[in-house]
Amino acid sequence: MPRVNVYAGGTLDRAARRRGDARWLAARRDDPKTRYIAVWRGLCLVRGDDPPRAALLSPEAIAEIAPEAATVVLLGVSDGVAHFAVDLPRHAKVPAPGALIERGAFRDLRAIGGLMPAPEAALLAHARGLMHWHARHRFCAVCGRPSELRKAGHQRVCTDPACAAEHFPRTDPAVIVLARKIHEKVPPNPDYPL
Ligand SMILES: [Zn+2]
C-alpha cells in the first residue's frame, strides 16, 4: 500500500479574505472555541505517542504560556473554528524539548509527522513553516530595516516608509523520486552509438 504524504492532508480553509479584517481577527483571538498551536524553536506542542496528536490549546491555555509579544499567525478556519499558531520566544521559560508538561511536549515534526493523522500533521507543518519564515525574515531584504508582521502573519512589510517593501512566505515545491534501473533491450540507434 502506498505511503500517504501526511503533509498534503490539510483540510483547513486558509481564510485569506479574513487576514486583513482586524475586528474579525480580534474577536477570533478571544473566542473560547478558537484553538492555538504552540511552536517553540521549530518544535510543535504534541500530546501522547500512540499516535502523537496535535495539542490544540484554548485562548485561556495559550495565554498561560505565551507572552504578549509572541508571534501569532492565523492558520485558517475549520468547521467555524479559527486556528492560530503562536511562536514562543526562543528564550521563553518553557519546558525543554521532549519534557512532558501538562499540555504535551515540544517535539520535532520530522520525527513524528508520519505517525500522526494527516490533517493534524499538515496543520502543524503549516504552523512550523510560517514561524520558520518569520524567524528568518525579521529584516527587510531590500534595505535592511526591521520588517513587521501583517495580514495575520501572511505578509511582512518594511518599517521604513521610504522603502515599504512587501515580503511573503516562501513556497518550496519539493519532489522525491526513486531512481530505478529498467532492464529492457533497446534496439541500437545508428545515429547515437554508445
Ligand atoms: Zn526596506
Side-chain angles (χ1 to χ4, degrees), residues 142-143 145 158-165:
V142 178
C143 73
R145 297 272 181 144
C158 179
T159 53
D160 182 351
C163 173

Side-chain angles (χ1 to χ4, degrees), residues 113-189:
L115 307 173
M116 301 181 72
E120 293 180 33
L123 184 68
L124 297 191
H126 185 189
R128 184 183 186 276
L130 276 173
M131 294 314 185
H132 181 85
W133 178 72
H134 281 289
R136 282 153 184 78
H137 291 79
R138 292 168 49 228
F139 297 92
C140 177
V142 178
C143 73
R145 297 272 181 144
S147 64
E148 60 186 15
L149 179 151
R150 295 280 175 80
K151 295 286 174 75
H154 293 262
Q155 182 184 10
R156 295 190 73 88
V157 176
C158 179
T159 53
D160 182 351
C163 173
E166 298 176 335
H167 306 278
F168 298 90
R170 242 176 34 190
T171 299
D172 298 319
V175 176
I176 298 175
V177 296
L178 172 65
R180 196 166 62 122
K181 184 176 180 180
I182 300 174
H183 296 276
E184 113 183 5
K185 287 193 174 179
V186 180
N189 182 344

Side-chain angles (χ1 to χ4, degrees), residues 3-10 42-49 51-54 107-126 128:
R3 287 179 64 88
V4 175
N5 178 359
V6 293
Y7 298 124
L43 308 173
C44 298
L45 191 63
V46 171
R47 281 200 179 96
D49 253 328
R53 304 296 300 267
R107 301 181 64 182
D108 187 348
L109 196 56
R110 286 194 179 116
I112 58 168
L115 307 173
M116 301 181 72
E120 293 180 33
L123 184 68
L124 297 191
H126 185 189
R128 184 183 186 276

Side-chain angles (χ1 to χ4, degrees), residues 20-44:
D21 186 340
R23 284 180 58 187
W24 183 85
L25 288 167
R28 297 288 74 70
R29 287 284 307 273
D30 295 332
D31 186 338
K33 287 190 306 180
T34 291
R35 288 297 173 259
Y36 287 82
I37 307 293
V39 179
W40 178 60
R41 298 187 180 185
L43 308 173
C44 298

